[in-house]
Amino acid sequence: AKGLGDVLIVGVNADASVARIKGPDRPVNPLDDRLRVLEALSCVDHVLPFQDDTPSGMIEHIRPDVFVKGGDYRREDLPEADLVE
């Protein structure tokens, strides 16, 4: 993802969002721990947690030129796809 742009901002679902999406036993690791791991990566410029179930609000605010999601997602599975396009 870093190679596709100048600045890499990683959006991270907050704990309540993860629980709503993946179930009450999630997340396995709390938000602060997940943020610290991502912030320690040299390729990551900024980490931004979000409370909603999708990153749409973050996307609207940042208006990135490039949006990268894991390879296990399909376009039709991403509610934010229309917004990004």
Side-chain angles (χ1 to χ4, degrees):
K2 176 69 173 192
L4 298 173
D6 299 322
V7 176
L8 178 58
I9 301 170
V10 178
V12 182
N13 291 77
D15 291 346
S17 171
V18 174
R20 285 191 303 271
I21 295 167
K22 297 193 174 192
D25 294 333
R26 301 291 291 272
V28 173
N29 298 301
L31 178 62
D32 286 343
D33 290 351
R34 292 181 283 130
L35 293 175
R36 276 197 294 274
V37 168
L38 291 166
E39 289 168 343
L41 299 173
S42 62
C43 61
V44 175
D45 296 300
H46 304 283
V47 180
L48 184 61
F50 58 93
Q51 301 293 326
D52 300 324
D53 292 349
T54 74
S56 295
M58 181 181 67
I59 292 166
E60 288 175 345
H61 181 73
I62 296 172
R63 301 182 53 86
D65 292 323
V66 178
F67 178 75
V68 178
K69 195 83 168 189
D72 54 338
Y73 291 91
R74 298 175 306 154
R75 189 225 179 273
E76 52 270 11
D77 297 329
L78 303 173
E80 66 273 15
D82 287 338
L83 175 62
V84 171
E85 292 174 349

